[in-house]
Amino acid sequence: MSTNEWAGLAVSVSTLVGTLAISVRHLVKHYLGELKQNGGSSIKDKVNEIDAKVKKLETRLDQVYFLIVSDKNGK
C-alpha cells in the first residue's frame, strides 16, 4: 500500500472512532440526565413520588391494623 492509501485508511478509521465516541457520549449524557431531578418528568422524580406514596400507604395500613387489633381486644 502506498502512503496515500495508508493516510486514507488512517483518516477513515479515526473518523469512525470519533463518530462512535461522540455517539456513546451523547447516549451516556442522555441516560444520566434521566437520573437527575428536574421537576417531575425524570425517572428519579417518579421514583421519589412512588416512594412517598408507599410511605403514606404504609402509615394508613398501620392505622387500619391498629383499629382492627384494638377492636378485637375490646370485644
Side-chain angles (χ1 to χ4, degrees):
M1 285 177 52
S2 69
T3 307
N4 286 340
E5 291 172 338
W6 279 110
L9 181 63
V11 168
S12 300
V13 169
S14 64
T15 301
L16 290 174
V17 169
T19 303
L20 179 65
I22 290 172
S23 299
V24 169
R25 180 179 178 194
H26 172 72
L27 288 173
V28 168
K29 194 179 232 185
H30 174 72
Y31 288 120
L32 287 178
E34 282 294 318
L35 299 176
K36 296 178 184 174
Q37 294 180 348
N38 65 357
S41 64
S42 71
I43 294 172
K44 185 169 179 89
D45 289 328
K46 296 300 178 188
V47 169
N48 289 342
E49 181 182 330
I50 291 169
D51 187 46
K53 288 180 180 180
V54 167
K55 287 179 183 177
K56 191 174 185 180
L57 285 172
E58 285 175 343
T59 303
R60 288 182 181 176
L61 185 61
D62 288 341
Q63 292 171 348
V64 169
Y65 179 74
F66 178 75
L67 289 173
I68 292 171
V69 169
S70 64
D71 187 44
K72 285 185 179 181
N73 290 338
K75 287 185 179 182

